[in-house]
Amino acid sequence: MGWKPEVWVAIYAACVATGALLLQLRSWVVSGPRLRVAVISDGLIIGGGPEFDEDDLVIVNVTNVRTAATMITNLMIEERFPFYYFWRRLPINIHVVLNPHMKGYPRNVPHLLEPAHQWTGIIRNRPDILLKNLRDGDHYAAHVVSGAFRGKTRVQQHQMVYQALRGRMGNELHALALQTGAPED
């Protein structure tokens, strides 16, 4: 090839500029908030006294897994067509939960979700809103917050909850996803 040195310099500069652009694009994509959402249907909250115990809840845990904070302003439930209706991009129904907090606790929206932090929202059962296929009636979840858990390991906390259930595991309760913790002062 009989290209002049200026052509080779231009090709090199174009490659370097393209690489720099791709690195900048990647850092822009990675730097924003990324939320990991877990939905626990048929949730159960035990602790803080009988007046605060609730069951038949949908518990939504949101974790910010990136480096930027994000603001949570409400919780929305969308009913959508199955994935194979790809031409139907709009939801069938949208419901906004304005007050998704546990009894006895202050409102948790709006909430600034810092990186590596978790937010929990509670949706109380409304048969006219919650979807039937969200629940299977066989698996349960519990989020237990108690002052008795202070200074205990996670295993000891879980053992305390199982003792409180008095042998219902394996009989009435088929599967239980359990989260425990002490209240924050």
Side-chain angles (χ1 to χ4, degrees):
M1 282 189 173
W3 289 355
K4 295 182 181 178
E6 296 86 18
V7 173
W8 288 107
V9 169
I11 292 172
Y12 175 75
C15 291
V16 169
T18 303
L21 176 67
L22 292 175
L23 284 175
Q24 184 64 32
L25 181 64
R26 181 190 176 280
S27 68
W28 175 74
V29 169
V30 171
S31 67
R34 179 169 177 226
L35 305 178
R36 182 176 296 137
V37 179
V39 177
I40 303 169
S41 63
D42 292 324
L44 173 69
I45 297 175
I46 303 172
E51 66 273 10
F52 299 116
D53 293 350
E54 293 185 77
D55 61 354
D56 203 19
L57 302 170
V58 176
I59 301 172
V60 180
N61 292 315
V62 179
T63 306
N64 188 353
V65 295
R66 288 269 175 88
T67 59
T70 187
M71 180 67 73
I72 296 177
T73 57
N74 59 37
L75 184 60
M76 258 181 14
I77 303 171
E78 291 185 353
E79 182 181 0
R80 293 187 168 268
F81 285 101
F83 73 93
Y84 47 83
Y85 286 101
F86 58 89
W87 60 87
R88 293 289 308 198
R89 297 193 188 276
L90 298 176
I92 301 168
N93 290 315
I94 298 176
H95 306 282
V96 178
V97 182
L98 297 175
N99 207 10
H101 70 280
M102 295 183 279
K103 286 183 184 176
Y105 285 83
R107 291 178 53 98
N108 60 356
V109 289
H111 180 80
L112 182 64
L113 187 59
E114 296 290 337
H117 283 80
Q118 185 175 17
W119 175 86
T120 301
I122 303 294
I123 305 171
R124 283 156 188 87
N125 186 18
R126 292 267 313 262
D128 59 329
I129 293 177
L130 293 181
L131 305 175
K132 303 286 187 273
N133 63 359
L134 184 61
R135 307 166 176 274
D136 64 3
D138 215 8
H139 297 81
Y140 297 89
H143 186 181
V144 184
V145 178
S146 173
F149 291 155
R150 283 195 177 93
K152 306 273 188 200
T153 66
R154 187 78 59 193
V155 172
Q156 291 170 330
Q157 293 173 7
H158 284 215
Q159 288 171 344
M160 292 171 68
V161 171
Y162 289 132
Q163 287 171 356
L165 291 173
R166 295 182 196 96
R168 291 191 176 129
M169 280 304 298
N171 298 326
E172 298 160 31
L173 297 173
H174 170 69
L176 177 65
L178 186 59
Q179 288 186 340
T180 58
E184 296 178 10
D185 295 326

